[in-house]
Amino acid sequence: MASRAGRWWAPGRVNLIGEHTDYNEGFVLPLALPLGVTCIAAARPAGAVRVRSRQAPRGERDEIATTTAVLATGGWSELPAWTHYPLGVIREFERRGHEIPGVDLDLDATVPIGAGLSSSAALSCAVAIALRDLFAPTVSDTEIIDIARTAENVYAGVPTGLLDQSAAILCTAGHLLFLDTRTGRTEQIPFDLDAFGLSLLVLDTGSPHQLVDGAYATRRAECAAAAAQLGVGSLRDIAFATEADRLTDPILRRRAHHVITENTRVLRIAEQLRTGADPRKIAPDLTASHESLRDDFEVSAPPLDLAVTASLASGAYGARMTGGGFGGSVIALVDRDRASQVSQAVREAFATKGFDPPRAFTATPSAGAHRLD
Ligand code: GLA
């Protein structure tokens, strides 16, 4: 008895700049990709829940059936790891008082998984907006972002901030999303690289990006410790990098230095783009962000560093890793007519090191999550 059905979409993202700032109440500047996750959803009776994903690991591609009652008593934890995202979203709706009578979810992704392009937030957000339209139409975008993030934090066990879910829900075509993660203030900043003869090249290095292994959580804890030792609630409250020099622990000092300087870079880039400057002007800050993530925050990885140096050596104006790090993707600001030469140069550099060839595409700022039909 599928009374209502439809198809919903949520995008992956690249973060132009503002990395590891979201859980420090700082600033981020992502754009939505034209790649994402489609969720076909249909209402079911009697608490029946069925989920299926075309990208599930081999052996887990058959439909997985459970019930809302089983989910309510923690039964989701016995099911395959990938299901914790959609089932966590269902459970969160119910826990917040929005009854889900039962639902079928059929998921399909075009955004690469584990590439640091936020495939998991695309999945959680596609499911969340489907459930909202089918069963809980009064739920706000802010709550959707919170539900999707809780699904990742609590059910999938990844302690992310809200960058990825905010990007999936709030980004609009042709724009960067400027988000102040402390106040929730947002601004859509036009980002028309084409008008300047530019492209934003994405290089998916294919090296697995893994946030559940503890390194991400360690960075969060280090930032919290640095803020406490500096006597502030969060590193957002520190305006000048020199203030981090008061920290005696060299690791905490470097972590704080990254977050403080990164916030400054986001604000500067937002201001340059808001006033219509040539985007080539932002390039030094993109590269400086990478160096800070590599040296101070220590979340880069050899394939990411190589993609950055090879891009810059072959004509990119600026380049940096994007997303949480430890693998994943690099973005490079390039002249549109040099994009293929730059990606070829990176491919050749990878070959000399024996790395698998990176996947390259250009990112166009695309629409946030919405119903397809
Ligand atoms: C991951 C997390 C985000 C954010 C970035 C780093 O993508 O999901 O919340 O912390 O890393 O900027």
Side-chain angles (χ1 to χ4, degrees):
M1 189 206 79
S3 57
R4 288 160 294 172
R7 281 192 319 140
W8 287 262
W9 161 263
R13 59 100 188 92
V14 292
N15 192 19
L16 184 70
I17 191 150
E19 224 65 86
H20 291 274
T21 49
D22 61 347
Y23 53 82
N24 290 297
E25 301 192 344
F27 308 102
V28 293
L29 200 58
L31 58 95
L33 292 171
L35 306 173
V37 171
T38 302
C39 172
I40 302 175
R44 290 279 160 195
V49 171
R50 294 193 304 210
V51 288
R52 191 160 82 101
S53 163
R54 279 151 220 255
Q55 285 72 38
R58 252 175 231 295
E60 295 175 6
R61 297 223 176 120
D62 290 344
E63 177 178 279
I64 289 176
T66 181
T67 65
T68 50
V70 168
L71 299 182
T73 53
W76 53 270
S77 63
E78 311 291 319
L79 296 169
W82 74 264
T83 67
H84 297 174
Y85 295 89
L87 299 179
V89 172
I90 294 175
R91 186 62 212 124
E92 260 319 281
F93 268 85
E94 293 224 298
R95 218 184 48 77
R96 292 162 190 244
H98 308 292
E99 197 203 334
I100 307 293
V103 70
D104 275 359
L105 300 171
D106 193 342
L107 301 157
D108 196 5
T110 51
V111 61
I113 295 171
L117 302 175
S118 217
S119 58
S120 53
L123 194 170
S124 309
C125 290
V127 172
I129 61 161
L131 295 184
R132 168 168 70 185
D133 283 1
L134 289 174
F135 309 118
T138 58
V139 170
S140 68
D141 279 352
T142 309
E143 202 182 348
I144 288 288
I145 291 166
D146 200 50
I147 287 171
R149 173 158 76 135
T150 307
E152 299 208 26
N153 291 177
V154 175
Y155 302 89
V158 190
T160 62
L162 43 66
L163 160 66
D164 307 339
Q165 300 78 11
S166 303
I169 297 295
L170 301 175
C171 281
T172 57
H175 296 91
L176 294 160
L177 172 75
F178 174 81
L179 169 65
D180 177 342
T181 64
R182 167 174 281 172
T183 64
R185 186 177 86 78
T186 61
E187 180 187 345
Q188 302 289 340
I189 300 184
F191 194 49
D192 185 2
L193 291 179
D194 214 39
F196 291 88
L198 290 165
S199 288
L200 191 66
L201 187 62
V202 181
L203 297 149
D204 167 9
T205 66
S207 59
H209 143 93
Q210 188 58 274
L211 297 184
V212 273
D213 67 358
Y216 183 91
T218 306
R219 294 301 182 283
R220 278 194 81 138
E222 288 164 347
C223 289
Q229 288 182 26
L230 289 168
V232 290
S234 83
L235 290 175
R236 155 69 178 274
D237 294 313
I238 311 277
F240 301 104
T242 47
E243 291 186 53
D245 296 344
R246 288 196 280 125
L247 293 164
T248 49
D249 179 321
I251 292 186
L252 297 192
R253 198 159 60 226
R254 291 206 304 275
R255 304 298 188 252
H257 194 268
H258 165 71
V259 174
I260 299 163
T261 58
E262 185 79 347
N263 277 326
T264 306
R265 286 186 285 269
V266 181
L267 292 175
R268 189 162 43 224
I269 287 186
E271 184 55 21
Q272 285 166 325
L273 295 176
R274 178 184 288 133
T275 53
D278 183 331
R280 289 172 183 85
K281 288 219 168 73
I282 72 170
D285 272 330
L286 297 181
T287 307
S289 167
H290 183 76
E291 289 162 357
S292 176
L293 288 157
R294 183 192 63 202
D295 302 337
D296 283 342
F297 218 65
E298 296 179 279
V299 291
S300 191
L304 297 173
D305 295 338
L306 183 61
V308 166
T309 49
S311 303
L312 294 173
S314 57
Y317 293 103
R320 59 180 293 273
M321 52 157 275
T322 187
F326 311 106
S329 298
V330 157
I331 51 173
L333 184 67
V334 298
D335 279 328
R336 194 179 42 218
D337 54 15
R338 277 199 69 82
S340 57
Q341 276 141 288
V342 172
S343 48
Q344 180 57 25
V346 175
R347 219 169 283 128
E348 282 163 18
F350 270 44
T352 61
K353 292 278 181 204
F355 295 152
D356 287 341
R359 173 170 182 249
F361 62 94
T362 54
T364 330
S366 301
H370 58 277
R371 186 175 186 148
L372 294 172
D373 46 51

